[in-house]
Amino acid sequence: KKDSAKRLLLGKTSSYEAERSMITKLKTECGAGFTSKLEKMFADIEVSKDIVAGFKQTREYSTYDYDLTVNVLTTGSWPPYPAVTVKLPDNLARGTDIFTKYYTLKHNGRRLHWQHTLGACQLKAYFPKGRKELEVSLFQAVVLLLFNDREAWAFADLLVATQLPAAELKRTLQSLSVAKVRPLRKVPHSRDVDDTDVFEFNGDLRIGKS
């Protein structure tokens, strides 16, 4: 169930029909009670597509500078995900605000609780050696967008700016500075992230074929 949920939320499933076929087989072999939550997960994704399509026809969305897609999930049908605090940049926060307003007006009495843990972004990054599109998690995007303001950030300052828990911020910075693709450079260079580290924009990032 967790694997299916992640594939659906991140749009990584290779074939919706194959996933549905698997659910049908499980339903036949194990009963409807075994697959009811899986079926509800698929239904949520389909309903979300219609909700987002309507949202993108609004005047408020037409003034928004980014492409925003939202999945509206039914509580209890999906695996639990930890609620992690994060301060979204103003441009991203505006997107969640206008969607919340749209949704609550259309569905009176319902409340949205944003879960950013599995959020994903596509960023267009400009490096001295060329442009690269980066597919990153929401937490990675929150960190990277801060480097539009200055080229180096101390860990302590990033902690304040993002409001991420320290452990989550360290995992995020590690993925951006010591993984195969490193848009950031860590000083001093080491695998582990310490409270005294400084992170710099990596202008030497090699730009491969997209």
Side-chain angles (χ1 to χ4, degrees), residues 88-115:
L88 296 179
D90 291 343
N91 48 6
L92 297 184
R94 180 171 175 263
T96 61
D97 288 344
I98 61 176
F99 181 85
T100 298
K101 180 180 178 181
Y102 168 80
Y103 183 82
T104 52
L105 285 174
K106 294 280 288 186
H107 303 278
N108 188 31
R110 296 187 186 179
R111 295 181 61 189
L112 289 177
H113 298 279
W114 290 89
Q115 293 282 354

Side-chain angles (χ1 to χ4, degrees), residues 5-208:
K6 192 169 184 179
R7 286 196 299 272
L8 287 172
L9 292 176
L10 297 179
K12 298 296 186 182
T13 182
S14 58
S15 169
Y16 281 97
E17 290 305 315
E19 298 261 6
R20 285 188 178 279
S21 176
M22 178 197 69
I23 292 174
T24 300
K25 291 179 181 178
L26 288 172
K27 188 175 183 178
T28 301
E29 296 177 4
C30 306
F34 185 81
T35 59
S36 60
K37 289 187 177 181
L38 285 171
E39 291 177 305
K40 183 58 181 172
M41 284 161 49
F42 271 87
D44 281 349
I45 296 298
E46 293 302 317
V47 171
S48 293
K49 291 178 182 178
D50 292 335
I51 293 172
V52 171
F55 170 61
K56 290 185 175 182
Q57 298 301 312
T58 63
R59 181 180 61 82
E60 289 79 4
Y61 182 78
S62 69
T63 65
Y64 187 57
D65 295 330
Y66 302 89
D67 183 16
L68 176 67
T69 297
V70 180
N71 289 314
V72 181
L73 313 181
T74 304
T75 302
S77 298
W78 294 75
Y81 299 106
V84 179
T85 59
V86 61
K87 184 181 186 303
L88 296 179
D90 291 343
N91 48 6
L92 297 184
R94 180 171 175 263
T96 61
D97 288 344
I98 61 176
F99 181 85
T100 298
K101 180 180 178 181
Y102 168 80
Y103 183 82
T104 52
L105 285 174
K106 294 280 288 186
H107 303 278
N108 188 31
R110 296 187 186 179
R111 295 181 61 189
L112 289 177
H113 298 279
W114 290 89
Q115 293 282 354
H116 298 306
T117 307
L118 285 179
C121 297
Q122 187 175 68
L123 301 181
K124 292 181 180 179
Y126 296 88
F127 297 89
K129 296 182 180 180
R131 191 187 79 173
K132 189 173 183 65
E133 291 192 356
L134 303 175
E135 292 188 3
V136 296
S137 72
L138 177 61
F139 296 159
Q140 289 174 322
V142 167
V143 170
L144 288 174
L145 289 171
L146 289 171
F147 287 82
N148 283 330
D149 299 328
R150 60 187 199 226
E151 292 195 357
W153 286 79
F155 175 82
D157 292 334
L158 287 170
L159 199 61
V160 174
T162 64
Q163 295 182 19
L164 282 166
E168 188 67 52
L169 179 57
K170 286 183 177 181
R171 280 193 292 270
T172 301
L173 288 168
Q174 190 176 48
S175 69
L176 293 170
S177 60
V178 300
K180 184 177 180 180
V181 177
R182 304 175 184 180
L184 301 182
R185 184 187 296 113
K186 193 174 84 67
V187 181
H189 179 71
S190 63
R191 182 158 188 82
D192 295 328
V193 174
D194 294 322
D195 295 350
T196 55
D197 287 345
V198 173
F199 295 85
E200 302 173 343
F201 172 74
N202 182 13
D204 295 327
L205 180 69
R206 292 183 179 180
I207 309 300

